[in-house]
Amino acid sequence: MKKNLLDQPLFRITVPPIYGLMMYFLILLLNNDLSQITDTVLTQELLLCVVLAFLTSESLRFTIVLFEKKVGHELRRTGNITLLFFTSLLISAAIIFAAVYYYFSEIEGNSYFVLFKSNLIKLVSIYSISGLLYTLFYLSIYFLSVKNETEIKREDLKRQNLEHQLEIFNNEINPSLLFQSLETLISLVHHNIDAAEDFVDRLSLVYRYILDNRKKELVKVEDELQATKNLFLLFKEKYPEQISLTIAPWTGEKGKLLVPNSLPMLLDCVVNSTIISGYQPLNIRISFDEEGYLVMQYQENDKLSLDAMIKKRHKNLHQAFVYFSDKPVIQIKAYGDAFIKLPLLELKEEL
């Protein structure tokens, strides 16, 4: 836990004189003798109040430090809090009694206790109550610090979880895509060797992109678009006349970024979650809107049963972008079309 405010040197030096001055005015008010203020400000009584404030604060601070070391986190229990209040009351009363008794008997030279009994009782009562307030102030700071540390730990756990999810997302190699590609490759090998070689080169580009960027947090939009084109060409071999991809020209600011493999992963999910045939082709369009989003648009024609892995990948995609931006990933459907919008990121958002 961070150093308590009561332990700060500046607080220990500046607060007791101010508090002692307040106690001096309070005692004058109780004695109905405020006229003394016009006589002099720096009096022995004022110095006494300041010294008593120092003695009270330092003794209670030392007591609290020892008490906290002994009970540790058990200080939060009601019994320990009650014991701390009771101990603070006794210590502050004892110290103030000894100091005031010494002042009146040795410095003022009062030989008889009855001569300063009333003043002694007033000072002990006032500073004992102030000791309780001091302890209450400490406890308020202590519990506020505990609450803040709890919130910080909770946020740190969330950050670590998001980082873990991001790492999983970036390191994800879709086995389903590999198996589909191998099936397509097997069919190509039997009738077109050149096309099979091109397909292998394209497949290697797709997986090389995944592996090369698995440790990166963000990549350029242009790189994501090129990786998406390479992946689309793999699907084009399987659906030569049934799918198409149109990418609008990028005319926005340079330097925009995306989470690695987010756009190719979306293309993979769309293709594998949509019914594709010669009667129902899949036409995909990628564009950019004025709100800072990359938009993937396609005809809504979902399969009767969606793969659980696709749902999980969509969830991981949302969590990956939450780590970098306040803008969410948006998925909407309207007039027979489905839209998936990815927020375009900047480095300053990461900071």
Side-chain angles (χ1 to χ4, degrees), residues 16-17 20-21 23-24 41-55 99 103 107 123 127:
L21 181 62
M23 292 296 100
Y24 176 68
V41 176
L42 186 60
T43 64
Q44 287 186 345
E45 289 79 8
L46 175 58
L47 292 177
L48 175 63
C49 291
V50 173
V51 171
L52 293 178
F54 269 109
L55 290 174
Y103 171 79
I107 298 178
L123 288 171
Y127 279 94

Side-chain angles (χ1 to χ4, degrees), residues 40-85:
T40 179
V41 176
L42 186 60
T43 64
Q44 287 186 345
E45 289 79 8
L46 175 58
L47 292 177
L48 175 63
C49 291
V50 173
V51 171
L52 293 178
F54 269 109
L55 290 174
T56 303
S57 62
E58 288 302 308
S59 60
L60 290 179
R61 189 188 69 84
F62 182 72
T63 302
I64 289 172
V65 170
L66 293 180
F67 197 87
E68 186 177 3
K69 287 182 178 179
K70 183 177 181 180
V71 301
H73 293 292
E74 300 296 323
L75 180 59
R76 306 176 193 180
R77 293 186 175 180
T78 305
N80 289 331
I81 294 176
T82 304
L83 180 59
L84 178 59
F85 273 115

